[in-house]
Amino acid sequence: MTLALETTDLKIELALDDDWFTVCDLTALLPGRGVAALLPDGRQAAIFRDRSGDLFAIDNRDPFTGAAVLSRGLTGTHQGRPFVASPLLKQRFDLASGECLDDETVRVTAYKVRIA
């Protein structure tokens, strides 16, 4: 038997070019896990919901390898900063700012997120 996915009227939106773009249903985000979303320009965003319910979105592309894998990374905190560690080479990216915690010269785009 296959169960239907639970859905709500609550949608996750990202700020793109002075407008909001709907990327997924809130129920698609499990705390501590990421999902990837295709953006209108062909890029991908990695969207996360932490265990306290806060939402974050960054580019899904790992700048060290070029692979679109950050949505599959492990989440955690370092000195109070939420991060995702790339599943490939394990560099950590701050979910709020996109800054690489292991190489301050590298960052990914961080998006504003809201529930609509």
Side-chain angles (χ1 to χ4, degrees), residues 59-79:
D59 276 337
N60 194 35
R61 185 180 161 278
D62 179 339
F64 292 94
T65 65
V69 296
L70 293 181
S71 64
R72 296 175 183 254
L74 297 174
T75 59
T77 58
H78 175 69
Q79 297 178 348

Side-chain angles (χ1 to χ4, degrees), residues 6 31 48 70 77 80 89 93 100 115:
E6 180 183 347
F48 298 90
L70 293 181
T77 58
L89 300 177
F93 295 91
C100 179
I115 298 175

Side-chain angles (χ1 to χ4, degrees), residues 7-87:
T7 59
T8 68
D9 290 334
L10 300 175
K11 305 296 181 194
I12 304 300
E13 295 183 339
L14 302 185
L16 301 176
D17 300 324
D18 300 324
D19 199 9
W20 292 94
F21 177 73
T22 302
V23 292
C24 67
D25 191 89
L26 178 61
T27 58
L29 297 177
L30 299 175
R33 308 283 307 267
V35 298
L38 184 62
L39 303 179
D41 63 3
R43 290 180 297 150
Q44 293 181 25
I47 300 97
F48 298 90
R49 182 179 181 187
D50 70 10
R51 286 171 176 76
S52 66
D54 292 330
L55 300 171
F56 303 95
I58 59 173
D59 276 337
N60 194 35
R61 185 180 161 278
D62 179 339
F64 292 94
T65 65
V69 296
L70 293 181
S71 64
R72 296 175 183 254
L74 297 174
T75 59
T77 58
H78 175 69
Q79 297 178 348
R81 297 170 71 179
F83 71 83
V84 63
S86 172

